[in-house]
Short mmCIF file of all heavy atoms in Angstrom, two decimals:
data_model
loop_
_atom_site.label_atom_id
_atom_site.label_comp_id
_atom_site.label_asym_id
_atom_site.label_seq_id
_atom_site.Cartn_x
_atom_site.Cartn_y
_atom_site.Cartn_z
N ALA A 3 1.91 5.29 0.46
CA ALA A 3 1.62 6.24 1.53
C ALA A 3 0.37 7.03 1.23
O ALA A 3 -0.43 7.34 2.12
CB ALA A 3 2.82 7.18 1.72
N SER A 4 0.16 7.35 -0.09
CA SER A 4 -1.01 8.17 -0.44
C SER A 4 -2.31 7.45 -0.22
O SER A 4 -3.36 8.06 -0.02
CB SER A 4 -0.89 8.63 -1.90
OG SER A 4 -0.84 7.49 -2.75
N THR A 18 -16.46 3.39 16.47
CA THR A 18 -17.78 2.93 16.02
C THR A 18 -17.97 1.45 16.33
O THR A 18 -19.04 1.01 16.77
CB THR A 18 -17.93 3.17 14.51
OG1 THR A 18 -17.77 4.56 14.23
CG2 THR A 18 -19.31 2.72 14.03
N VAL A 20 -16.71 -0.36 18.73
CA VAL A 20 -16.92 -0.69 20.15
C VAL A 20 -18.15 0.03 20.72
O VAL A 20 -18.43 -0.07 21.91
CB VAL A 20 -15.68 -0.33 21.01
CG1 VAL A 20 -14.47 -1.09 20.52
CG2 VAL A 20 -15.41 1.16 21.03
N ALA A 36 0.93 8.27 18.12
CA ALA A 36 1.45 8.00 16.78
C ALA A 36 2.76 8.73 16.53
O ALA A 36 3.72 8.17 15.97
CB ALA A 36 0.41 8.41 15.73
N THR A 74 -0.55 -3.80 31.75
CA THR A 74 -1.55 -3.18 32.61
C THR A 74 -1.37 -3.65 34.05
O THR A 74 -0.69 -4.65 34.31
CB THR A 74 -2.98 -3.52 32.15
OG1 THR A 74 -3.29 -4.86 32.55
CG2 THR A 74 -3.12 -3.42 30.65
N LEU A 77 -6.39 -6.98 36.36
CA LEU A 77 -7.01 -8.04 35.58
C LEU A 77 -8.19 -7.49 34.78
O LEU A 77 -8.42 -7.89 33.63
CB LEU A 77 -7.48 -9.16 36.52
CG LEU A 77 -8.33 -10.26 35.89
CD1 LEU A 77 -7.54 -11.01 34.84
CD2 LEU A 77 -8.83 -11.21 36.97
N VAL A 92 -9.67 -4.84 15.91
CA VAL A 92 -9.02 -5.57 14.82
C VAL A 92 -10.01 -5.80 13.68
O VAL A 92 -9.67 -5.61 12.50
CB VAL A 92 -8.44 -6.90 15.35
CG1 VAL A 92 -8.11 -7.84 14.20
CG2 VAL A 92 -7.20 -6.64 16.19
N VAL A 184 -1.45 -27.28 41.53
CA VAL A 184 -1.53 -27.58 40.09
C VAL A 184 -0.77 -26.55 39.25
O VAL A 184 -0.99 -26.44 38.04
CB VAL A 184 -3.00 -27.66 39.62
CG1 VAL A 184 -3.73 -28.80 40.31
CG2 VAL A 184 -3.72 -26.34 39.85
N ALA A 226 8.12 -6.31 34.84
CA ALA A 226 9.20 -6.10 35.80
C ALA A 226 10.16 -7.27 35.82
O ALA A 226 11.39 -7.10 35.85
CB ALA A 226 8.62 -5.87 37.20
N PRO A 234 14.85 -12.74 28.99
CA PRO A 234 13.60 -12.22 28.43
C PRO A 234 12.46 -13.22 28.52
O PRO A 234 12.61 -14.39 28.16
CB PRO A 234 13.96 -11.93 26.97
CG PRO A 234 15.17 -12.76 26.68
CD PRO A 234 15.90 -12.89 27.96
N SER A 337 14.83 -43.70 44.34
CA SER A 337 13.70 -44.14 45.17
C SER A 337 12.62 -43.08 45.24
O SER A 337 11.51 -43.35 45.68
CB SER A 337 14.19 -44.48 46.59
OG SER A 337 14.60 -43.29 47.25
N SER A 382 9.01 -11.76 59.48
CA SER A 382 9.79 -12.03 58.27
C SER A 382 10.83 -10.94 58.11
O SER A 382 10.71 -9.85 58.69
CB SER A 382 8.89 -12.12 57.04
OG SER A 382 8.27 -10.88 56.78
N SER A 389 15.35 2.61 45.60
CA SER A 389 14.68 3.23 44.47
C SER A 389 14.75 2.29 43.28
O SER A 389 15.72 1.53 43.14
CB SER A 389 15.34 4.56 44.11
OG SER A 389 14.86 5.06 42.88
N VAL A 420 6.16 12.09 38.71
CA VAL A 420 6.07 10.72 38.22
C VAL A 420 7.28 10.40 37.34
O VAL A 420 7.85 9.30 37.41
CB VAL A 420 4.75 10.51 37.44
CG1 VAL A 420 4.76 9.18 36.70
CG2 VAL A 420 3.56 10.55 38.40
N GLY A 487 -27.57 7.85 51.60
CA GLY A 487 -26.74 6.66 51.34
C GLY A 487 -25.77 6.99 50.22
O GLY A 487 -25.02 7.96 50.31
N THR A 528 -23.61 -5.38 45.10
CA THR A 528 -24.66 -4.98 46.04
C THR A 528 -24.73 -3.47 46.17
O THR A 528 -25.81 -2.87 46.18
CB THR A 528 -24.40 -5.61 47.42
OG1 THR A 528 -24.29 -7.03 47.28
CG2 THR A 528 -25.55 -5.30 48.38
N LEU A 556 -21.49 10.26 46.70
CA LEU A 556 -20.66 10.84 47.75
C LEU A 556 -19.45 9.94 47.97
O LEU A 556 -19.60 8.75 48.27
CB LEU A 556 -21.45 10.98 49.06
CG LEU A 556 -20.65 11.42 50.30
CD1 LEU A 556 -20.03 12.80 50.10
CD2 LEU A 556 -21.54 11.39 51.55
N ARG A 575 13.27 6.11 51.75
CA ARG A 575 13.29 6.88 50.50
C ARG A 575 13.22 8.38 50.79
O ARG A 575 13.90 9.18 50.15
CB ARG A 575 12.13 6.45 49.60
CG ARG A 575 12.35 5.07 48.98
CD ARG A 575 11.16 4.58 48.18
NE ARG A 575 11.51 3.36 47.44
CZ ARG A 575 10.65 2.65 46.72
NH1 ARG A 575 9.38 3.03 46.66
NH2 ARG A 575 11.04 1.57 46.08
#
Side-chain angles (χ1 to χ4, degrees):
S4 60
T18 302
V20 301
T74 76
L77 171 63
V92 165
V184 297
S337 68
S382 64
S389 170
V420 169
T528 305
L556 173 61
R575 287 176 171 175

